[in-house]
């Protein structure tokens, strides 16, 4: 968290990962981000992982530092309030972020009629308006069929990588559009398709060109690096590690640190490749891996750590989520990235802020996610200027709800 | 491509994915992005995939629309030129992006001494300065041990997801820092660690909280969705598809479109769960999948496409990179995301621009990556004001190189 964008206000209608992550990124930069949800929460409100009481750790994770407003979006009066909040005046306000189908009155034309310079950022599935989510976009991307051992069995990523890319792209697009508005007074509608985020990345990484130019695509090669040397190895104590030699320097360090330099040099002669090149190491990867595998299998993870310390070898152990959280000091409040936060309804645990240090914007503690509806009354009062009596009437008539759900 | 950021100039010292992607995102927004490389190219200049001639499709993909300057960065005179370009005056200039160790004169203190309001964005591996790359950060993340079938064998993602997240975070951070400078005249140094990008995302998705609060982590469940219903199925013609039911509406659509609604309803009774909830569908996922698997196995992909068309079922076929590029119209110049581009040294193929439509900034054709050193002379002339004779002397003394490598 910092205060770099503290003069911005973003109103978010969202669910799941992408738009919530984009909005939360802004909130962690200090922007006022108001997530407006239907009464009872949106479709992601109970998404797993959850606590034993069914409270979503996922929702808490993706909505930190936001304000929460709960409105009856199925009623005209609820939608009118949402529209009024979204289109409220103020130089840093009038920015709307969504990955949901627009409700009546919350489309760009309606919002722009209320505020001419409004910026609306919309993430959709496919460009033609059809549905797509991370799982379907990933299936289409080509990656699952080269992940894991291959053989025609697709392996899906577990990290929602396309949603993450889309969320961070949205944050960039938001700042680009806001910069344009600050210079020209013009708002705009910005539309991104999740499928296009995937397609752009497949192209950026060279895979579209590979098929067009070479008529082929990279194969599935398990955990091997494509086009260089890198592979996972088992240790004597049943751990796994990645060892990588992308650069000549890393390659030479690996030979030195393992004492296998002479044997590895024989691989070059045996396989008739230049091991100083990435392509040479890739072609000879099985021959390189054989002595390394024996070396790793004879040592514990701790012994390997000692052997590689300060050596210039590029490597790292695999760890599961429990090992990451319990044993890796980077994943604790010892890392300034994390703050111990008391999350309402859940408890205290370390929550990450922005993965940046800005020298001109001191890091502030991570703030928790709101309770659903926690800021309904405050937002209606501060932004719409509603009197207490009117707010009470809206509660009584079921148009708005506070953190008690009513 | 558009022109939203056409008044910015970013100078990039980079390699591989993250910083090049961050810079390219700016270039596709119209910024002048000058990538400065050592003579002969940086360590990513021949990264795979490559053409039959060894020209990198990857490098071309990640450096589109940039200007390329080749300098002898191993010589003081080359570094002085790099520093002068990086710290050159101009309201939109003085922004430096890097994921390489700083060379003498190119650290923040040296650059700031030349231009007080300079912004330097640096991506490092670990916060303590030790090396980390996507492969090692991923190994530490917990994800490889829940990707694929599990059983302790890690499965690495092939998509460099952490590099992609870092690159897009850098783009966001760049615009946040530039916005701050435009308002305060203050530059700054911004440092991000790739490991922190990973840790932030593991936390945002709820996995850190899961271990702290629940004392456990999600298991490996192959291609199943965690906490809801989704799985891959084989078709009669040996294709694979993902079918997903995140929402009650998608769940009911699936029953209707397959004609299995009555049988699926029995699953709820048999398994004693409420199939209208995500948790219920997750618990009963094997029982749900059994009749669906038989249904899919009896139909070709085309027949399934017909059955699901307009049904509201959330699904999609798996396709490999060749199928994506050859058969999916979204991955072609029929999609405005792509332009047919003539890439020097490679040939013509569709290259993606930004995955956004900005209503106030018309899309322009995607521009190719430069040849290495293509803009050396122009940049030295335009930005540093060097005379032709001085530029010729620098060529002759091996301090700079043009696209012919000299």
């Amino acid at each position: 968290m910092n205060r770099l964008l503290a003069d911005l206000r973003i109103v978010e209608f969202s669910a799941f990962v992408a738009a919530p992550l984009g909005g939360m990124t802004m909130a962690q930069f200090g922007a006022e981000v108001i997530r407006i949800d239907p009464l009872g929460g949106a479709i992601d409100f109970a998404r797993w992982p959850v606590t034993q009481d069914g409270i979503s750790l996922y929702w808490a994770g993706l909505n930190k530092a936001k304000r929460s407003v709960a409105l009856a979006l199925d009623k005209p009066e609820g939608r009118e309030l949402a529209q009024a909040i979204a289109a409220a005046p103020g130089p840093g306000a009038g920015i709307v972020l969504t990955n949901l189908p627009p409700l009546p009155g919350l489309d760009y034309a309606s919002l722009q009629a209320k505020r001419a310079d409004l910026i609306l950022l919309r993430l959709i599935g496919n460009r033609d308006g059809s549905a797509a989510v991370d799982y379907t976009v990933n299936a289409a991307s080509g990656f699952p069929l080269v992940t894991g051992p291959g053989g025609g069995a697709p392996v899906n990523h577990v990290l929602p990588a396309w949603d993450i890319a889309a969320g961070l792209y949205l944050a960039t697009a938001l700042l680009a559009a806001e910069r344009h508005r600050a210079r020209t007074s013009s708002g705009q509608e910005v539309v991104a398709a999740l499928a296009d985020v995937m397609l752009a990345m497949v192209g950026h990484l060279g895979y579209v060109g590979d098929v067009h130019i070479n008529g082929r695509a990279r194969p599935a090669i398990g955990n091997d690096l494509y086009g260089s040397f890198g592979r996972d190895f088992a240790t004597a104590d049943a751990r796994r590690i990645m060892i990588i030699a992308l650069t000549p320097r890393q390659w030479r360090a690996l030979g030195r640190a393992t004492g296998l330099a002479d044997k590895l040099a024989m691989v070059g002669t045996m396989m008739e490749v230049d091991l100083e090149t990435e392509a040479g190491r890739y072609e000879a990867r099985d021959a390189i891996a054989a002595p390394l595998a024996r070396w790793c299998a004879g040592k514990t993870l701790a012994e390997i750590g000692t052997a590689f310390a300060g050596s210039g070898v590029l490597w790292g152990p695999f760890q599961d989520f429990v090992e990451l959280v319990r044993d890796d000091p980077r994943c604790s409040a010892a890392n300034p990235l994390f703050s111990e936060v008391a999350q309402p309804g859940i408890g205290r645990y370390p929550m990450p802020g922005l993965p940046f240090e800005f020298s001109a914007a001191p890091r502030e503690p991570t703030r928790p996610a709101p309770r659903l509806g926690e800021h309904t009354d405050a937002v209606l009062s501060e932004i719409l200027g509603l009197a207490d009596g009117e707010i009470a009437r809206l509660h009584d008539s079921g148009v708005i709800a506070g953190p008690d759900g009513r």
Side-chain angles (χ1 to χ4, degrees), chain A:
Chain A
M1 297 273 315
N2 61 44
R3 305 285 299 158
L4 267 177
L5 303 178
D7 60 318
L8 291 184
R9 180 195 299 147
I10 292 120
V11 176
E12 186 188 309
F13 300 91
S14 68
F16 299 117
V17 178
L21 175 63
M24 189 176 70
T25 303
M26 295 294 110
Q28 293 203 320
F29 273 111
E32 179 188 6
V33 178
I34 301 170
R35 177 166 164 167
I36 299 182
D37 277 314
L39 304 184
I43 47 173
D44 61 339
F45 192 55
R47 195 84 192 76
W48 284 28
V50 295
T51 66
Q52 288 188 319
D53 301 331
I55 311 296
S56 176
L57 292 151
Y58 169 101
W59 197 91
L62 287 162
N63 293 288
K64 294 188 286 283
K66 295 179 189 173
R67 306 181 88 185
S68 172
V69 170
L71 303 176
L73 294 171
D74 56 342
K75 296 181 182 175
E77 202 174 358
R79 294 195 294 269
E80 278 162 27
L81 291 169
Q83 186 193 60
I85 296 166
I95 304 173
V96 178
L97 174 63
T98 186
N99 62 345
L100 299 178
L103 293 167
L106 294 169
D107 58 303
Y108 181 61
S110 302
L111 290 167
Q112 204 205 12
K114 296 291 178 182
R115 179 174 171 146
D117 69 349
L118 189 124
I119 296 168
L120 172 63
L121 299 112
R122 285 205 298 133
L123 180 69
I124 59 177
N126 283 305
R127 178 179 281 268
D128 67 3
S130 60
V133 295
D134 188 282
Y135 310 99
T136 57
V137 160
N138 188 49
S141 74
F143 282 102
L145 287 163
V146 294
T147 300
V155 175
N156 286 349
H157 56 207
V158 170
L159 183 75
W162 305 117
D163 274 345
I164 289 171
L168 297 174
Y169 257 135
L170 283 170
T172 305
L174 188 156
L175 289 177
E178 194 275 333
R179 189 177 189 275
H180 180 73
R181 185 176 73 174
R183 282 161 175 72
T184 64
S185 302
S186 298
Q188 59 182 312
E189 184 178 31
V190 183
V191 182
L194 185 66
D196 282 358
V197 169
M198 174 276 282
L199 293 162
M201 221 50 81
V202 174
H204 294 339
L205 292 166
Y207 294 119
V208 174
D210 200 14
V211 175
H212 274 280
I213 299 297
N214 295 326
R216 61 168 164 79
R218 56 153 288 164
I221 49 172
N223 287 342
D224 281 1
L225 251 70
Y226 181 58
S228 190
F229 183 77
R231 181 175 285 194
D232 67 308
F233 295 92
T235 70
D237 51 346
R239 293 289 301 267
R240 312 280 299 190
I241 63 171
M242 273 303 285
I243 296 179
I244 296 138
L246 279 170
T247 67
R249 191 189 305 200
Q250 290 160 357
W251 171 243
R252 290 190 291 266
L254 182 58
R256 269 197 310 274
T258 57
L260 295 171
D262 293 345
K263 290 184 172 123
L264 292 176
M266 289 177 209
V267 169
T269 312
M270 182 178 84
M271 297 296 293
E272 297 178 359
V273 298
D274 179 359
L275 294 177
E276 290 289 306
T277 68
E278 291 196 281
R281 294 192 292 278
Y282 179 65
E283 188 174 338
R285 64 191 184 278
D286 289 332
I288 293 169
L292 280 177
R294 191 169 61 183
W295 186 88
C296 291
K299 293 194 159 44
T300 64
L301 177 60
E303 288 166 348
I304 292 170
T306 302
F308 286 170
S311 67
V313 173
L314 187 57
W315 77 291
F318 286 89
Q319 49 192 9
D320 64 25
F321 289 122
V322 173
E323 290 162 338
L324 170 68
V325 172
R326 292 199 177 147
D327 304 339
D328 193 329
R330 296 176 298 182
C331 191
S332 75
N335 181 343
L337 172 68
F338 286 94
S339 307
E340 280 280 335
V341 175
Q343 178 62 47
I346 296 181
R348 288 185 70 85
Y349 57 104
M351 285 186 153
L354 285 176
F356 299 100
E357 301 298 330
F358 286 83
S359 66
R363 186 180 282 279
E364 299 187 356
T366 308
R367 296 218 314 269
R371 289 168 295 162
L372 186 72
E374 180 173 344
H375 305 97
T376 302
D377 292 8
V379 165
L380 295 187
S381 167
E382 291 166 23
I383 296 178
L384 301 188
L386 297 194
D388 289 355
E390 173 65 3
I391 291 173
R393 185 193 69 78
L394 290 165
H395 278 289
D396 290 345
S397 53
V399 175
I400 68 174
D404 58 356
R406 285 181 301 146

